[in-house]
């Protein structure tokens, strides 16, 4: 009964999203095929991404750790977790701007739910995230830092992060299918968020007033913290959870209404 009410309320956009989740095995398989195809003749495969990420963490950790005079046992795990999670976030946001454009041939030839392409893109970046997260235990061993029971908060945190990335990708993918120049604008905005979000610098370096002005209104900071804090043996704050959950609820409500209105036009915009 609830499903029927929601379908009447939201229409074809909601049905498309439901169908995409119902056939979740297809985008998961396609995403894994994309990874295998990209590294088909490589001996290390996707672990090249892990190696390059590890080298970047080591170089940035040494340089910025010295500049900020931060204890390496605190700064290096903080940096590693931040870069790995941000790589997942920025990868999804960046690829969402071309997700329907890249799937133009499939969209025009096969009657697949459009949301399947969103799930495929997010799953592909999630696979890369799982490869990169293998670096983090090595970092913990290097700085001799233990893992606490707070680590298990990473499960709801990651689920909530994915939920937010899915609605963001749905909106951006639809808009950018019509306005291709927005791809460059989104890329520039994400670069700005990278520098104003504590990834390569620690929040404690900011004065309290500046921290409230920069961090509290920054949704990416809260989305980052619900996954990073458990890795750092800390529980996310109530504000982190409230902002992330609020973004998911209101974001999905808007995304479904938006997708319902413009979903039928995507194929023509391509």
């Amino acid at each position: 009964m609830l499903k029927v009410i929601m379908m009447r309320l939201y229409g074809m956009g909601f049905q498309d999203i439901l169908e995409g989740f119902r056939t979740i095995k297809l985008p998961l398989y396609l995403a894994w095929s994309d990874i295998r195809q990209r590294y088909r003749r490589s001996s290390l495969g996707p672990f090249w991404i892990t190696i390059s990420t590890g080298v970047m963490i080591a170089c940035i950790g040494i340089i910025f750790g010295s500049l900020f005079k931060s204890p390496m046992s605190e700064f290096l795990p903080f940096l590693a977790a931040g870069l790995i999670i941000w790589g997942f976030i920025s990868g999804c946001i960046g690829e969402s701007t071309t997700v329907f454009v890249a799937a133009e041939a499939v969209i025009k030839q096969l009657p697949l739910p459009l949301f399947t392409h969103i799930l495929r893109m997010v799953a592909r970046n999630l696979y890369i995230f799982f490869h990169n997260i293998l670096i983090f235990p090595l970092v913990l061993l290097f700085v001799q830092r233990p893992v606490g029971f707070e680590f298990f908060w990473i499960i709801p945190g990651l689920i909530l992060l994915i939920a937010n990335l899915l609605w963001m990708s749905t909106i951006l993918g639809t808009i950018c299918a019509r306005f291709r120049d927005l791809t460059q604008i989104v890329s520039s905005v994400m670069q700005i968020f990278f520098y104003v979000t504590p990834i390569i610098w620690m929040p404690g370096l900011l004065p309290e007033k500046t921290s409230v002005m920069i961090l509290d209104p920054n949704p990416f900071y809260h989305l980052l913290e619900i996954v990073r804090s458990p890795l750092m043996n800390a529980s996310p704050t109530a504000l982190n959870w409230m902002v992330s959950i609020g973004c998911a609820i209101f974001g999905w409500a808007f995304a479904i209404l938006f997708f319902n209105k413009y979903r039928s036009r995507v194929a023509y915009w391509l």
Side-chain angles (χ1 to χ4, degrees), residues 120-239:
R120 176 183 183 179
M121 180 273 297
V122 174
R124 183 169 59 245
N125 282 281
L126 184 62
Y127 290 148
I128 295 174
F129 168 79
F130 285 142
H131 278 89
N132 288 338
I133 202 64
L134 296 176
I135 300 170
F136 193 74
L138 299 179
V139 172
L140 293 181
L141 286 174
F142 177 75
V143 300
Q144 298 182 349
R145 185 187 179 101
V147 176
F149 289 105
E150 293 86 356
F151 176 82
F152 293 101
W153 282 110
I154 194 175
I155 298 174
L158 186 58
I159 293 173
L160 189 54
L161 174 60
I162 294 172
N164 277 283
L165 290 175
L166 284 172
W167 72 258
M168 292 179 189
S169 300
T170 302
I171 294 175
L172 286 174
T174 305
I175 294 176
C176 291
R178 175 64 180 86
F179 303 102
R180 306 293 174 87
D181 291 338
L182 284 178
T183 299
Q184 301 302 321
I185 296 175
V186 171
S187 176
S188 299
V189 170
M190 291 304 293
Q191 286 183 354
I192 295 172
F193 271 111
F194 174 78
Y195 290 111
V196 300
T197 304
I199 300 170
I200 60 176
W201 52 271
M202 302 186 75
L205 296 174
L206 290 179
E208 185 175 352
K209 291 183 178 180
T210 307
S211 178
V212 171
M213 292 174 59
I214 294 179
L215 299 184
D216 288 356
N218 184 349
F220 288 106
Y221 165 67
H222 299 288
L223 292 173
L224 190 73
E225 279 300 297
I226 60 175
V227 181
R228 180 171 58 188
S229 291
L231 294 174
M232 298 296 296
N233 295 339
S235 300
T237 65
L239 182 62

Side-chain angles (χ1 to χ4, degrees), residues 87-117:
F88 175 48
I89 294 173
S90 61
C92 289
I93 298 297
E95 291 185 30
S96 69
T97 59
T98 58
V99 64
F100 292 139
V101 177
E104 177 181 357
V106 178
I107 291 173
K108 291 183 176 180
Q109 294 180 31
L110 297 176
L112 290 175
L114 291 181
F115 194 65
T116 295
H117 304 292

Side-chain angles (χ1 to χ4, degrees), residues 60-61 64-65 68 70-79 200 202:
I60 295 178
F64 281 83
F68 297 144
S70 301
M72 199 58 65
S73 60
E74 288 286 336
F75 181 70
L76 197 58
F78 178 88
L79 174 69
I200 60 176
M202 302 186 75

Side-chain angles (χ1 to χ4, degrees), residues 35-97:
I35 299 292
R36 294 182 61 184
Q37 182 68 21
R38 185 184 301 180
Y39 300 96
R40 183 173 56 180
R41 295 188 180 277
S42 172
S43 55
L44 292 179
F47 285 103
W48 278 116
I49 306 174
T50 307
I51 294 172
S52 62
T53 304
V55 171
M56 180 174 62
I57 290 171
C59 294
I60 295 178
I62 294 172
I63 295 172
F64 281 83
S66 300
L67 287 175
F68 297 144
K69 298 180 180 179
S70 301
M72 199 58 65
S73 60
E74 288 286 336
F75 181 70
L76 197 58
F78 178 88
L79 174 69
L83 285 176
I84 292 169
I85 299 167
W86 182 257
F88 175 48
I89 294 173
S90 61
C92 289
I93 298 297
E95 291 185 30
S96 69
T97 59

